[in-house]
Amino acid sequence: MLNQPENTNFQIHCPTAHCSGWVCFIDEFYGCGECGNVWFSKDELDTAINEIIKKYPYRNQVYQKIDNTYQPNDTKLPNYDKLIETEDW
């Protein structure tokens, strides 16, 4: 069974390099409307977030880990989009 977010309005920054989109829960998966990437479980999404944070540590500021799972962090980075533009494809 898919690990669904408690809040169906779940929205978190996409953990794909060079993407400034948002990931939402869509029926049976998590997907980014900007780059089109899909994660079929919250564990897969959390793994991708963990990997992007290792590669680009500044990204940790837009996520928060609660009960061993990543959640959106309301912290606003004024230069977030510009930083993402510098990431490798």
Side-chain angles (χ1 to χ4, degrees):
M1 183 166 155
L2 182 64
N3 182 4
Q4 297 181 18
E6 291 180 23
N7 178 356
T8 56
N9 294 324
F10 179 83
Q11 190 175 39
I12 196 165
H13 284 280
C14 182
T16 302
H18 211 78
C19 180
S20 59
W22 292 89
V23 173
C24 301
F25 183 73
I26 307 163
D27 295 326
E28 298 180 6
F29 61 89
Y30 297 86
C32 175
E34 184 76 22
C35 68
N37 278 343
V38 174
W39 299 266
F40 292 100
S41 72
K42 184 65 167 71
D43 288 341
E44 284 183 11
L45 179 58
D46 284 345
T47 297
I49 291 170
N50 197 45
E51 290 172 3
I52 200 73
I53 289 170
K54 285 180 185 175
K55 190 167 184 179
Y56 302 108
Y58 75 88
R59 285 212 182 209
N60 191 46
Q61 297 176 58
V62 298
Y63 305 111
Q64 59 183 330
K65 204 164 194 179
I66 300 172
D67 296 330
N68 210 29
T69 186
Y70 285 102
Q71 300 298 321
N73 187 347
D74 292 335
T75 300
K76 305 287 187 231
L77 291 175
N79 58 345
Y80 186 75
D81 289 339
K82 291 206 181 282
L83 288 169
I84 286 184
E85 289 175 9
T86 68
E87 295 176 354
D88 296 331
W89 283 93

